[in-house]
Amino acid sequence: MLLLAFNSQAQRYELGGFLGGSNFIGDVGKTQYISPEKLAYGAFFKWNINDRFSAKLSYNYTNLFAADSLSSSPGRYYRNFKVGSNIHEFGLGFEFNFFPYDLHELKTHQTPYIYVGADYFSFKDRYLTSSNTIGYNTNFTYAMPFAVGYKVAFVNHFTVGAEVGIRYTFTDNIDGSAMEDVPFEFGNPNSNDWYVFTGLTVSYFFGRKPCNSCYGK
């Protein structure tokens, strides 16, 4: 797929932003996969390699939150735990368009798409202190994102879209369920934490195709 992507001379760039909500999937809080609770926002730069493939560099932020009091599970509801963590996420990945999406053609384009890549993010890592209280460190780890969306490009150089992106993280301690040396355990120790971004994107595309067949040819 990468060889096919880079075999094209088409180049056009996008600079844009994301605005929506986030929700946590773990051992605390709701059990719904898509249930935005806190504001999430970010920015991205995209290189449209050809009409099917794009490379994307992104940054996203949210104050991730989960509360057992909002869960429909009786066990979680009566346990009544809650957690929160600021998430600073840096991502790099590839986007695949299901329909041709040639931004060099002066007409409206639209297509569903999928996105895969790799994220590096910070979160509030919980630990048990010597006085048996919970302490916090800022930790960094990786996540594997997968997103699906739909976007529309207009002739005035703007693109709007809607996207749902789920992240599988390489930690089980965003909710504090994997703290070391604790006198109690809860949750599933064999399942890492997930989080989801759901929202809208807006971008401005620019740049000319480096060939003689563009714009009126």
Side-chain angles (χ1 to χ4, degrees), residues 7-189:
N7 195 33
S8 173
Q9 293 182 331
Q11 296 184 26
R12 174 159 282 194
Y13 308 100
E14 292 182 57
L15 185 64
F18 168 85
L19 181 64
S22 67
N23 66 280
F24 177 72
I25 304 173
D27 298 311
V28 176
K30 296 179 180 180
T31 55
Q32 290 91 339
Y33 289 105
I34 302 175
S35 181
E37 295 174 341
K38 288 291 186 177
L39 178 68
Y41 56 88
F44 61 86
F45 176 79
K46 190 184 300 183
W47 172 30
N48 294 290
I49 302 169
N50 58 30
D51 61 2
R52 293 284 187 169
F53 290 94
S54 301
K56 182 179 178 181
L57 180 67
S58 63
Y59 165 79
N60 292 301
Y61 170 82
T62 189
N63 181 13
L64 203 61
F65 176 78
D68 285 340
S69 60
L70 302 176
S71 175
S72 58
S73 171
R76 294 193 179 195
Y77 179 84
Y78 290 107
R79 184 180 61 186
N80 200 29
F81 287 176
K82 64 179 179 180
V83 295
S85 180
N86 293 331
I87 300 292
H88 294 272
E89 175 194 270
F90 302 88
L92 177 63
F94 286 91
E95 197 170 278
F96 172 74
N97 303 318
F98 285 91
F99 302 144
Y101 198 71
D102 189 352
L103 297 178
H104 304 291
E105 296 182 2
L106 298 181
K107 65 178 183 179
T108 299
H109 287 274
Q110 54 186 324
T111 181
Y113 64 90
I114 58 174
Y115 169 87
V116 294
D119 289 339
Y120 188 63
F121 72 97
S122 66
F123 69 101
K124 186 185 293 184
D125 196 14
R126 291 163 169 79
Y127 66 94
L128 193 68
T129 68
S130 57
S131 58
N132 287 329
T133 60
I134 296 178
Y136 305 96
N137 282 326
T138 299
N139 203 352
F140 292 84
T141 190
Y142 295 93
M144 296 176 57
F146 177 80
V148 295
Y150 196 93
K151 58 186 178 180
V152 181
F154 300 97
V155 294
N156 60 357
H157 292 266
F158 281 95
T159 295
V160 297
E163 180 177 293
V164 177
I166 187 169
R167 277 79 167 165
Y168 170 79
T169 75
F170 287 82
T171 179
D172 191 27
N173 203 37
I174 295 178
D175 55 17
S177 64
M179 292 187 295
E180 297 182 358
D181 302 322
V182 294
F184 62 90
E185 294 182 357
F186 70 94
N188 182 0

